[in-house]
PDB file of all heavy atoms in Angstrom:
ATOM      1  N   VAL A 874      -1.110  32.524  -0.562  1.00  0.00           N
ATOM      2  CA  VAL A 874      -2.448  32.338  -1.171  1.00  0.00           C
ATOM      3  C   VAL A 874      -3.310  31.516  -0.230  1.00  0.00           C
ATOM      4  O   VAL A 874      -2.918  30.429   0.109  1.00  0.00           O
ATOM      5  CB  VAL A 874      -2.432  31.801  -2.546  1.00  0.00           C
ATOM      6  CG1 VAL A 874      -3.830  31.536  -3.107  1.00  0.00           C
ATOM      7  CG2 VAL A 874      -1.590  32.680  -3.499  1.00  0.00           C
ATOM      8  N   LYS A 914     -10.647 -24.175   9.308  1.00  0.00           N
ATOM      9  CA  LYS A 914     -11.299 -25.530   9.105  1.00  0.00           C
ATOM     10  C   LYS A 914     -12.679 -25.372   8.504  1.00  0.00           C
ATOM     11  O   LYS A 914     -13.067 -26.189   7.648  1.00  0.00           O
ATOM     12  CB  LYS A 914     -11.336 -26.321  10.435  1.00  0.00           C
ATOM     13  CG  LYS A 914      -9.962 -26.582  10.991  1.00  0.00           C
ATOM     14  CD  LYS A 914     -10.068 -27.219  12.385  1.00  0.00           C
ATOM     15  CE  LYS A 914     -10.569 -28.626  12.285  1.00  0.00           C
ATOM     16  NZ  LYS A 914     -10.558 -29.303  13.583  1.00  0.00           N
ATOM     17  N   ALA A 969     -25.923  -5.852   3.987  1.00  0.00           N
ATOM     18  CA  ALA A 969     -27.265  -5.840   4.611  1.00  0.00           C
ATOM     19  C   ALA A 969     -27.868  -4.475   4.345  1.00  0.00           C
ATOM     20  O   ALA A 969     -27.277  -3.538   3.871  1.00  0.00           O
ATOM     21  CB  ALA A 969     -27.265  -6.114   6.115  1.00  0.00           C
ATOM     22  N   VAL A 982     -21.624 -14.958  11.668  1.00  0.00           N
ATOM     23  CA  VAL A 982     -20.773 -15.741  10.818  1.00  0.00           C
ATOM     24  C   VAL A 982     -19.883 -16.580  11.681  1.00  0.00           C
ATOM     25  O   VAL A 982     -19.078 -16.028  12.492  1.00  0.00           O
ATOM     26  CB  VAL A 982     -19.999 -14.930   9.833  1.00  0.00           C
ATOM     27  CG1 VAL A 982     -19.131 -15.822   8.923  1.00  0.00           C
ATOM     28  CG2 VAL A 982     -20.908 -14.144   8.871  1.00  0.00           C
ATOM     29  N   ARG A1018      26.817  -1.524   0.954  1.00  0.00           N
ATOM     30  CA  ARG A1018      28.297  -1.780   1.188  1.00  0.00           C
ATOM     31  C   ARG A1018      29.136  -0.718   0.578  1.00  0.00           C
ATOM     32  O   ARG A1018      29.087  -0.579  -0.692  1.00  0.00           O
ATOM     33  CB  ARG A1018      28.725  -3.143   0.632  1.00  0.00           C
ATOM     34  CG  ARG A1018      27.901  -4.330   1.218  1.00  0.00           C
ATOM     35  CD  ARG A1018      28.275  -4.613   2.675  1.00  0.00           C
ATOM     36  NE  ARG A1018      27.606  -5.799   3.162  1.00  0.00           N
ATOM     37  CZ  ARG A1018      26.465  -5.886   3.822  1.00  0.00           C
ATOM     38  NH1 ARG A1018      25.856  -4.729   4.018  1.00  0.00           N
ATOM     39  NH2 ARG A1018      25.896  -7.005   4.279  1.00  0.00           N
ATOM     40  N   THR A1063     -18.223   1.327 -10.499  1.00  0.00           N
ATOM     41  CA  THR A1063     -17.614   2.713 -10.155  1.00  0.00           C
ATOM     42  C   THR A1063     -17.504   2.725  -8.642  1.00  0.00           C
ATOM     43  O   THR A1063     -18.399   2.361  -7.921  1.00  0.00           O
ATOM     44  CB  THR A1063     -18.549   3.812 -10.591  1.00  0.00           C
ATOM     45  OG1 THR A1063     -18.682   3.793 -12.081  1.00  0.00           O
ATOM     46  CG2 THR A1063     -18.054   5.156 -10.132  1.00  0.00           C
ATOM     47  N   GLY A1083     -12.280  -9.470 -11.850  1.00  0.00           N
ATOM     48  CA  GLY A1083     -11.939 -10.093 -13.117  1.00  0.00           C
ATOM     49  C   GLY A1083     -12.409  -9.253 -14.285  1.00  0.00           C
ATOM     50  O   GLY A1083     -12.879  -9.760 -15.300  1.00  0.00           O
ATOM     51  N   GLU A1109      -8.058  -2.771  -0.326  1.00  0.00           N
ATOM     52  CA  GLU A1109      -8.712  -3.970   0.292  1.00  0.00           C
ATOM     53  C   GLU A1109     -10.228  -3.764   0.497  1.00  0.00           C
ATOM     54  O   GLU A1109     -11.044  -4.634   0.146  1.00  0.00           O
ATOM     55  CB  GLU A1109      -8.081  -4.166   1.615  1.00  0.00           C
ATOM     56  CG  GLU A1109      -6.566  -4.516   1.584  1.00  0.00           C
ATOM     57  CD  GLU A1109      -6.082  -4.713   3.026  1.00  0.00           C
ATOM     58  OE1 GLU A1109      -6.796  -5.344   3.837  1.00  0.00           O
ATOM     59  OE2 GLU A1109      -4.963  -4.255   3.245  1.00  0.00           O
ATOM     60  N   ALA A1111     -12.164  -1.345  -0.955  1.00  0.00           N
ATOM     61  CA  ALA A1111     -12.792  -1.039  -2.187  1.00  0.00           C
ATOM     62  C   ALA A1111     -13.128  -2.298  -3.038  1.00  0.00           C
ATOM     63  O   ALA A1111     -14.140  -2.428  -3.573  1.00  0.00           O
ATOM     64  CB  ALA A1111     -11.997  -0.115  -3.039  1.00  0.00           C
ATOM     65  N   THR A1177       8.467  -3.547   1.013  1.00  0.00           N
ATOM     66  CA  THR A1177       9.709  -3.519   0.236  1.00  0.00           C
ATOM     67  C   THR A1177      10.083  -2.071  -0.228  1.00  0.00           C
ATOM     68  O   THR A1177      11.210  -1.708  -0.345  1.00  0.00           O
ATOM     69  CB  THR A1177       9.459  -4.377  -1.052  1.00  0.00           C
ATOM     70  OG1 THR A1177       8.268  -3.988  -1.658  1.00  0.00           O
ATOM     71  CG2 THR A1177       9.404  -5.873  -0.702  1.00  0.00           C
ATOM     72  N   THR A1218      11.880   6.191   7.317  1.00  0.00           N
ATOM     73  CA  THR A1218      12.988   7.038   7.728  1.00  0.00           C
ATOM     74  C   THR A1218      12.976   7.634   9.166  1.00  0.00           C
ATOM     75  O   THR A1218      14.106   7.668   9.770  1.00  0.00           O
ATOM     76  CB  THR A1218      13.155   8.261   6.777  1.00  0.00           C
ATOM     77  OG1 THR A1218      11.950   9.085   6.939  1.00  0.00           O
ATOM     78  CG2 THR A1218      13.262   7.793   5.315  1.00  0.00           C
ATOM     79  N   LEU A1249      26.554  16.433   4.003  1.00  0.00           N
ATOM     80  CA  LEU A1249      26.559  16.362   2.585  1.00  0.00           C
ATOM     81  C   LEU A1249      26.559  17.842   2.071  1.00  0.00           C
ATOM     82  O   LEU A1249      25.943  18.702   2.623  1.00  0.00           O
ATOM     83  CB  LEU A1249      25.389  15.649   2.088  1.00  0.00           C
ATOM     84  CG  LEU A1249      25.308  14.130   2.218  1.00  0.00           C
ATOM     85  CD1 LEU A1249      23.923  13.595   1.848  1.00  0.00           C
ATOM     86  CD2 LEU A1249      26.337  13.486   1.362  1.00  0.00           C
ATOM     87  N   LYS A1300      15.302  21.082  31.937  1.00  0.00           N
ATOM     88  CA  LYS A1300      15.129  21.551  30.536  1.00  0.00           C
ATOM     89  C   LYS A1300      16.265  21.029  29.655  1.00  0.00           C
ATOM     90  O   LYS A1300      17.320  20.828  30.107  1.00  0.00           O
ATOM     91  CB  LYS A1300      15.084  23.084  30.514  1.00  0.00           C
ATOM     92  CG  LYS A1300      13.928  23.663  31.202  1.00  0.00           C
ATOM     93  CD  LYS A1300      13.901  25.152  31.064  1.00  0.00           C
ATOM     94  CE  LYS A1300      12.708  25.759  31.769  1.00  0.00           C
ATOM     95  NZ  LYS A1300      12.623  27.242  31.607  1.00  0.00           N
ATOM     96  N   ILE A1329      -9.743  25.245 -20.616  1.00  0.00           N
ATOM     97  CA  ILE A1329     -10.127  26.633 -20.538  1.00  0.00           C
ATOM     98  C   ILE A1329     -11.472  26.864 -21.211  1.00  0.00           C
ATOM     99  O   ILE A1329     -11.613  26.619 -22.442  1.00  0.00           O
ATOM    100  CB  ILE A1329      -9.083  27.618 -21.107  1.00  0.00           C
ATOM    101  CG1 ILE A1329      -7.683  27.313 -20.407  1.00  0.00           C
ATOM    102  CG2 ILE A1329      -9.470  29.082 -20.914  1.00  0.00           C
ATOM    103  CD1 ILE A1329      -6.559  28.136 -21.049  1.00  0.00           C
ATOM    104  N   CYS A1330     -12.517  27.290 -20.416  1.00  0.00           N
ATOM    105  CA  CYS A1330     -13.837  27.558 -21.068  1.00  0.00           C
ATOM    106  C   CYS A1330     -13.922  28.842 -21.693  1.00  0.00           C
ATOM    107  O   CYS A1330     -13.003  29.769 -21.501  1.00  0.00           O
ATOM    108  CB  CYS A1330     -14.899  27.415 -19.864  1.00  0.00           C
ATOM    109  SG  CYS A1330     -14.904  25.812 -19.025  1.00  0.00           S
ATOM    110  N   ASN A1368     -10.654  26.037 -11.236  1.00  0.00           N
ATOM    111  CA  ASN A1368     -11.575  25.093 -10.504  1.00  0.00           C
ATOM    112  C   ASN A1368     -10.946  23.685 -10.644  1.00  0.00           C
ATOM    113  O   ASN A1368     -10.409  23.345 -11.667  1.00  0.00           O
ATOM    114  CB  ASN A1368     -12.938  25.151 -11.159  1.00  0.00           C
ATOM    115  CG  ASN A1368     -13.634  26.458 -11.159  1.00  0.00           C
ATOM    116  OD1 ASN A1368     -14.129  26.877 -10.090  1.00  0.00           O
ATOM    117  ND2 ASN A1368     -13.462  27.242 -12.210  1.00  0.00           N
ATOM    118  N   PHE A1438      -3.170  45.633 -23.438  1.00  0.00           N
ATOM    119  CA  PHE A1438      -3.362  44.317 -23.030  1.00  0.00           C
ATOM    120  C   PHE A1438      -4.757  43.761 -23.462  1.00  0.00           C
ATOM    121  O   PHE A1438      -5.635  44.552 -23.875  1.00  0.00           O
ATOM    122  CB  PHE A1438      -3.273  44.195 -21.477  1.00  0.00           C
ATOM    123  CG  PHE A1438      -4.361  44.914 -20.772  1.00  0.00           C
ATOM    124  CD1 PHE A1438      -5.607  44.174 -20.457  1.00  0.00           C
ATOM    125  CD2 PHE A1438      -4.245  46.143 -20.269  1.00  0.00           C
ATOM    126  CE1 PHE A1438      -6.622  44.820 -19.797  1.00  0.00           C
ATOM    127  CE2 PHE A1438      -5.280  46.835 -19.575  1.00  0.00           C
ATOM    128  CZ  PHE A1438      -6.457  46.138 -19.334  1.00  0.00           C
ATOM    129  N   ALA A1445      -9.926  33.867 -24.077  1.00  0.00           N
ATOM    130  CA  ALA A1445     -10.567  32.589 -24.161  1.00  0.00           C
ATOM    131  C   ALA A1445     -11.742  32.643 -25.085  1.00  0.00           C
ATOM    132  O   ALA A1445     -12.010  31.729 -25.904  1.00  0.00           O
ATOM    133  CB  ALA A1445     -11.065  32.146 -22.767  1.00  0.00           C
ATOM    134  N   SER A1463       9.392  11.301 -13.784  1.00  0.00           N
ATOM    135  CA  SER A1463      10.493  11.636 -12.925  1.00  0.00           C
ATOM    136  C   SER A1463      11.878  11.235 -13.517  1.00  0.00           C
ATOM    137  O   SER A1463      11.967  10.299 -14.235  1.00  0.00           O
ATOM    138  CB  SER A1463      10.411  10.942 -11.537  1.00  0.00           C
ATOM    139  OG  SER A1463      11.380  11.338 -10.668  1.00  0.00           O
ATOM    140  N   PRO A1464      12.910  12.025 -13.365  1.00  0.00           N
ATOM    141  CA  PRO A1464      14.220  11.671 -13.879  1.00  0.00           C
ATOM    142  C   PRO A1464      14.661  10.298 -13.432  1.00  0.00           C
ATOM    143  O   PRO A1464      14.470   9.933 -12.315  1.00  0.00           O
ATOM    144  CB  PRO A1464      15.190  12.712 -13.251  1.00  0.00           C
ATOM    145  CG  PRO A1464      14.282  13.904 -12.941  1.00  0.00           C
ATOM    146  CD  PRO A1464      12.991  13.334 -12.570  1.00  0.00           C
ATOM    147  N   SER A1488      14.749  21.215  19.203  1.00  0.00           N
ATOM    148  CA  SER A1488      13.641  21.089  20.180  1.00  0.00           C
ATOM    149  C   SER A1488      14.035  21.593  21.539  1.00  0.00           C
ATOM    150  O   SER A1488      15.173  21.454  21.993  1.00  0.00           O
ATOM    151  CB  SER A1488      13.296  19.606  20.346  1.00  0.00           C
ATOM    152  OG  SER A1488      12.871  19.036  19.086  1.00  0.00           O
ATOM    153  N   LYS A1503       9.044  24.185  22.434  1.00  0.00           N
ATOM    154  CA  LYS A1503       9.253  24.957  21.185  1.00  0.00           C
ATOM    155  C   LYS A1503      10.048  24.063  20.193  1.00  0.00           C
ATOM    156  O   LYS A1503      10.941  23.286  20.601  1.00  0.00           O
ATOM    157  CB  LYS A1503      10.061  26.274  21.533  1.00  0.00           C
ATOM    158  CG  LYS A1503      10.269  27.159  20.315  1.00  0.00           C
ATOM    159  CD  LYS A1503      10.994  28.423  20.623  1.00  0.00           C
ATOM    160  CE  LYS A1503      11.252  29.311  19.383  1.00  0.00           C
ATOM    161  NZ  LYS A1503      11.962  30.550  19.698  1.00  0.00           N
ATOM    162  N   VAL A1513       9.735  27.751  -2.541  1.00  0.00           N
ATOM    163  CA  VAL A1513       8.576  27.640  -1.713  1.00  0.00           C
ATOM    164  C   VAL A1513       7.417  28.201  -2.447  1.00  0.00           C
ATOM    165  O   VAL A1513       7.332  29.408  -2.745  1.00  0.00           O
ATOM    166  CB  VAL A1513       8.761  28.357  -0.342  1.00  0.00           C
ATOM    167  CG1 VAL A1513       7.499  28.223   0.469  1.00  0.00           C
ATOM    168  CG2 VAL A1513       9.929  27.892   0.373  1.00  0.00           C
ATOM    169  N   GLU A1524       4.145  22.609  10.801  1.00  0.00           N
ATOM    170  CA  GLU A1524       3.431  22.486  12.095  1.00  0.00           C
ATOM    171  C   GLU A1524       2.709  21.191  12.210  1.00  0.00           C
ATOM    172  O   GLU A1524       2.722  20.576  13.258  1.00  0.00           O
ATOM    173  CB  GLU A1524       2.402  23.645  12.209  1.00  0.00           C
ATOM    174  CG  GLU A1524       3.101  24.990  12.372  1.00  0.00           C
ATOM    175  CD  GLU A1524       2.146  26.176  12.201  1.00  0.00           C
ATOM    176  OE1 GLU A1524       0.894  25.931  12.182  1.00  0.00           O
ATOM    177  OE2 GLU A1524       2.625  27.325  12.065  1.00  0.00           O
ATOM    178  N   GLY A1580      11.347  25.245  -9.539  1.00  0.00           N
ATOM    179  CA  GLY A1580      12.499  24.915  -8.596  1.00  0.00           C
ATOM    180  C   GLY A1580      12.043  24.284  -7.325  1.00  0.00           C
ATOM    181  O   GLY A1580      12.911  24.126  -6.435  1.00  0.00           O
TER     182      GLY A1580
END
Side-chain angles (χ1 to χ4, degrees):
V874 174
K914 297 175 72 174
V982 178
R1018 301 289 186 267
T1063 297
E1109 300 178 35
T1177 54
T1218 65
L1249 287 172
K1300 295 183 178 182
I1329 302 174
C1330 301
N1368 302 276
F1438 68 86
S1463 183
S1488 299
K1503 185 179 180 181
V1513 180
E1524 289 168 14

